[in-house]
Amino acid sequence: MSNNTSRSTRHFVAPLEETPLVAIDAVKVDEKPSNLWIDAWRDARRRPIFWISGVLILLIIAVALLPSLFSPINPLTEACSLSNSNGDPSAGHLLGFTKQGCDVYARIIYGTSTSISVGLIVILLTTVLGVAFGAFGGFFGGWVDATLSRLGDIFFSIPYILAAVVIMSVLSQYRSIWTISLAIGLFAWPSTARVLRAEILRVKQADYITASEALGVSRMKILFQHVLPNSIAPVIAITTISLAGAIVAEATLSFLGVGLGGSIMSWGNDINQAQRDIRVHPQTLIWPSLALSITVFSFILLGEVVRDALDPKARALR
Amino acid sequence: MAGYIFRRVLQAIPVFFGTTFLIYFMVFAMPGDPIVALFGDKTPNPAVIEQLRQQYHLDQPFIVQYFIYIGGIFRGDFGISFSGEPVTQILARTFPVTIRLAVLALLFQSIAGIVVGLYSGLRKGKLFDSSALVVSLILISLPIFVIAYVAQYVFGVQLGWARTTVGSGAPLQDLVMPALVLASVSFAQIVRLTRSSVIETSGLDFVRTAYSKGLSRRRIVPVHILRNSLIPVVTFLATDFGVLLVGATVTEGIFNVPGVGNTLYQAIIRGEGPTVVSFVTVMVLLYLVVNLVVDLLYGLLDPRIRLVK
């Protein structure tokens, strides 16, 4: 009888010497388990365009923070001289002069922080509004979702540059980096909300959410500790591209003359001023346009890498 | 299908009231005098102010003003432009030009975008695909007014291939360059969308079945792969219509195309607030209608969509 029992035990527990040691060694207990963010970083750092766009963006941010390091002339304090009107490049003035006789290079350097600030404020605004609308709607469903989604539809149905044109026309006496960011961000958030809502609807179905519910964890705690952290990746993925979109929107509004006031250094303003002389002096239009395009290009490139890295499906398309 | 149309039209009603209310609210519920605010730095003639006050019924409470305004829209009355011409009359004159420009641009961007996207998707990772990716990223990064000015300067001023501004009556040959500029904005997006859609569809079982049945590539690519890859592209074209409207405003302004966008452009740069509001409203309504029509067509083409509650 006792002999029988020991024989049956042998069937279930393999003797230690039969398990190859290589297999045990392959399980690294002390290594941190991989997750989406670590995988994304591993994927991104292997791609040259991540490093190219990263270096460009760091350089642009440095110019935005410390313009005086890059340009000896400070266009905010040094008056422009009309005797230099539409002047050609000369020593110390690499890119020539604008119609008002200002140094083109110095204006570009000092205009960088405007674009970057507007971009950052807008994505902060669209992320906060988009996450609030998308998270509550997607998670609670029912009438909350219906109300928030319909509100989102209304804001989504007005192209955000057109909405910003109206807001900036009304706020014509209060033109600043803050008002223009508000005007753009107020109508740009529904796409963020839609992306997050769709992801939350998916994550909500997961077993670990059901388990938390069964354990009696409060709804709010489930949303903020389990659902939101696991569905934020697509929002992060579109953020960099939205930032580029916000920079373009500011430049477009300033180009139309309803953006920032003339006293604020902005590439859009400079392009607006230069357009009248495009036939005789195209350089003053080309340089700020180039600065704008390179900045937008850098953020779009980074956005591509981030999106590919965070979305395994996008990785397969490469 | 009737149920689907009914549901979709019913959904459009709150959006119609919501968007018009929002625009009206942004302009007329702000603190201070909305008429003065709309003119910015300029001080308009007191007679003009008085006339606008009457036109917008500013002596009435805000909500009454809004419904008077909505009543006007239903009767086809979008107000009077700054020059004293009714907005509807301006629309009758400028709308055909914008339609011609938009159709031309849509044709350019869809044909070129789908062809390049299909070719890229079928040759994933090859030289053509990588070059198309780089070109499309560069195009996405260039704001439309930059593209418009570069095209105007290079092809109009330097090379003399096209006229820098559009002649009266907007003949089709003058619209080619503005339409190409307008098309360049969404061309890149269509390339990328078609490409990823083609790659995805090519990996599906029915494509493999088609190959194993012995069908030729010349039949599989257009019939099985391309046709099934175009659904997201069509949806994109509808939602992208807003981008097209903004693009048309800038492009028509720069090339002086006598269209709806140019009227808005001129009103914006001259700071004629009330006209800006009227034309933005017209464009938003146009955007709503286009999206509604595309959704209905879409339900007609794809039964799965009209069955979803």
Side-chain angles (χ1 to χ4, degrees):
Chain A
M1 193 71 192
S2 65
N3 197 12
N4 210 356
T5 319
S6 71
R7 197 184 289 161
S8 67
T9 335
R10 232 186 286 160
H11 279 289
F12 294 105
V13 182
L16 191 64
E17 63 269 22
E18 275 181 28
T19 309
L21 286 168
V22 196
I24 297 172
D25 286 347
V27 182
K28 286 181 185 148
V29 189
D30 52 340
E31 192 183 83
K32 261 177 82 179
S34 188
N35 66 28
L36 181 66
W37 306 102
I38 295 171
D39 284 349
W41 165 242
R42 281 198 190 127
D43 180 64
R45 70 178 180 199
R46 276 206 308 265
R47 301 186 66 189
I49 64 168
F50 170 73
W51 295 105
I52 297 170
S53 60
V55 167
L56 275 170
I57 288 171
L58 284 180
L59 185 71
I60 293 164
I61 291 173
V63 172
L65 289 175
L66 299 161
S68 53
L69 276 187
F70 295 86
S71 159
I73 304 165
N74 182 347
L76 296 165
T77 53
E78 274 166 63
C80 309
S81 156
L82 275 176
S83 59
N84 291 328
S85 180
N86 279 348
D88 286 327
S90 55
H93 305 281
L94 278 176
L95 306 179
F97 296 90
T98 67
K99 181 152 196 158
Q100 281 77 32
C102 309
D103 186 86
V104 172
Y105 175 75
R107 285 190 66 89
I108 289 175
I109 293 295
Y110 277 79
T112 311
S113 68
T114 307
S115 285
I116 301 298
S117 314
V118 171
L120 289 176
I121 301 171
V122 169
I123 58 158
L124 192 72
L125 204 66
T126 53
T127 308
V128 168
L129 285 170
V131 167
F133 275 72
F136 287 111
F139 185 65
F140 291 108
W143 66 268
V144 179
D145 188 27
T147 315
L148 295 182
S149 292
R150 290 296 86 75
L151 263 172
D153 285 352
I154 291 169
F155 280 83
F156 193 72
S157 299
I158 306 182
Y160 69 94
I161 294 193
L162 289 183
V165 162
V166 171
I167 298 178
M168 292 311 282
S169 299
V170 177
L171 295 177
S172 53
Q173 279 133 340
Y174 312 94
R175 287 184 181 165
S176 71
I177 288 177
W178 293 99
T179 49
I180 198 168
S181 306
L182 194 73
I184 298 167
L186 207 55
F187 282 82
W189 60 266
S191 35
T192 310
R194 285 184 175 190
V195 167
L196 181 64
R197 179 178 172 273
E199 187 67 8
I200 282 192
L201 288 181
R202 203 178 61 78
V203 169
K204 218 165 67 163
Q205 310 286 327
D207 287 340
Y208 59 86
I209 304 299
T210 319
S212 312
E213 275 167 2
L215 286 169
V217 181
S218 79
R219 300 287 287 163
M220 280 298 177
K221 202 167 172 186
I222 293 179
L223 172 58
F224 286 106
Q225 280 198 344
H226 300 294
V227 177
L228 205 52
N230 285 300
S231 40
I232 204 75
V235 174
I236 305 285
I238 60 166
T239 299
T240 325
I241 293 170
S242 317
L243 198 148
I247 291 176
V248 172
E250 181 273 318
T252 307
L253 292 168
S254 294
F255 163 76
L256 287 170
V258 284
L260 295 160
S263 57
I264 303 165
M265 218 68 72
S266 147
W267 297 333
N269 274 345
D270 287 356
I271 296 168
N272 176 17
Q273 292 297 315
Q275 59 173 317
R276 287 161 216 158
D277 292 326
I278 180 178
R279 277 157 191 275
V280 288
H281 204 250
Q283 295 96 307
T284 43
L285 188 122
I286 300 293
W287 294 118
S289 303
L290 200 63
L292 175 64
S293 306
I294 290 174
T295 306
V296 174
F297 184 62
S298 313
F299 282 105
I300 296 251
L301 270 190
L302 184 69
E304 285 289 308
V305 181
V306 173
R307 200 196 49 204
D308 287 359
L310 287 174
D311 182 2
K313 214 174 134 197
R315 231 180 284 173
L317 291 176
R318 215 147 67 209
Chain B
M1 187 63 204
Y4 171 73
I5 295 176
F6 180 71
R7 250 195 340 267
R8 187 61 190 78
V9 172
L10 211 64
Q11 272 176 10
I13 293 170
V15 176
F16 165 77
F17 281 103
T19 47
T20 48
F21 183 82
L22 212 60
I23 295 172
Y24 207 76
F25 181 81
M26 287 191 302
V27 178
F28 291 99
M30 295 275 178
D33 188 330
I35 301 294
V36 175
L38 280 175
F39 284 100
D41 319 326
K42 298 181 203 160
T43 344
N45 188 324
V48 173
I49 294 189
E50 199 42 51
Q51 190 237 321
L52 283 167
R53 246 180 242 287
Q54 267 169 12
Q55 188 189 326
Y56 290 106
H57 305 275
L58 289 186
D59 47 335
Q60 305 279 337
F62 171 72
I63 198 78
V64 178
Q65 290 169 28
Y66 169 71
F67 279 106
I68 293 174
Y69 162 78
I70 282 292
I73 289 184
F74 279 122
R75 288 193 307 272
D77 173 13
F78 288 92
I80 292 166
S81 84
F82 196 72
S83 54
E85 201 180 354
V87 170
T88 27
Q89 210 170 311
I90 300 179
L91 282 177
R93 192 182 61 224
T94 54
F95 204 66
V97 179
T98 300
I99 291 287
R100 232 180 303 165
L101 178 70
V103 168
L104 211 55
L106 275 170
L107 275 178
F108 286 152
Q109 70 188 34
S110 331
I111 295 174
I114 291 170
V115 168
V116 175
L118 175 68
Y119 207 66
S120 277
L122 293 173
R123 286 155 182 270
K124 187 181 129 187
K126 300 277 170 57
L127 181 68
F128 180 84
D129 183 30
S130 333
S131 341
L133 177 75
V134 173
V135 171
S136 63
L137 285 177
I138 291 175
L139 272 180
I140 292 175
S141 310
L142 293 172
I144 185 160
F145 52 92
V146 171
I147 300 180
Y149 275 126
V150 169
Q152 196 181 43
Y153 186 73
V154 174
F155 300 113
V157 179
Q158 292 280 313
L159 298 170
W161 290 357
R163 288 168 65 171
T164 50
T165 54
V166 173
S168 64
L172 214 53
Q173 69 266 26
D174 279 8
L175 287 179
V176 171
M177 191 162 64
L180 280 173
V181 169
L182 190 51
S184 70
V185 182
S186 302
F187 161 76
Q189 308 266 19
I190 295 175
V191 169
R192 315 212 56 205
L193 208 58
T194 312
R195 173 186 179 270
S196 54
S197 193
V198 163
I199 294 174
E200 229 168 291
T201 316
S202 307
L204 293 180
D205 288 344
F206 70 84
V207 175
R208 203 165 5 159
T209 310
Y211 276 115
S212 47
K213 276 200 303 189
L215 289 183
S216 68
R217 223 176 125 79
R218 288 179 60 182
R219 178 155 177 86
I220 294 173
V221 169
V223 177
H224 292 83
I225 298 179
L226 185 62
R227 235 167 57 181
N228 284 294
S229 306
L230 288 183
I231 298 170
V233 179
V234 176
T235 329
F236 170 77
L237 287 177
T239 48
D240 194 54
F241 193 71
V243 173
L244 192 76
L245 286 174
V246 174
T249 306
V250 173
T251 318
E252 287 186 4
I254 291 173
F255 290 100
N256 207 18
V257 182
V260 185
N262 194 22
T263 320
L264 176 60
Y265 178 84
Q266 297 298 336
I268 296 171
I269 59 172
R270 291 194 196 126
E272 295 166 4
T275 314
V276 171
V277 177
S278 305
F279 277 88
V280 168
T281 313
V282 168
M283 286 193 165
V284 169
L285 295 181
L286 197 64
Y287 182 55
L288 288 183
V289 170
V290 165
N291 271 287
L292 181 62
V293 170
V294 170
D295 269 11
L296 294 180
L297 283 178
Y298 205 38
L300 202 69
L301 294 173
D302 190 342
R304 280 171 302 182
I305 293 178
R306 59 174 186 259
L307 292 175
V308 172
K309 289 275 169 192

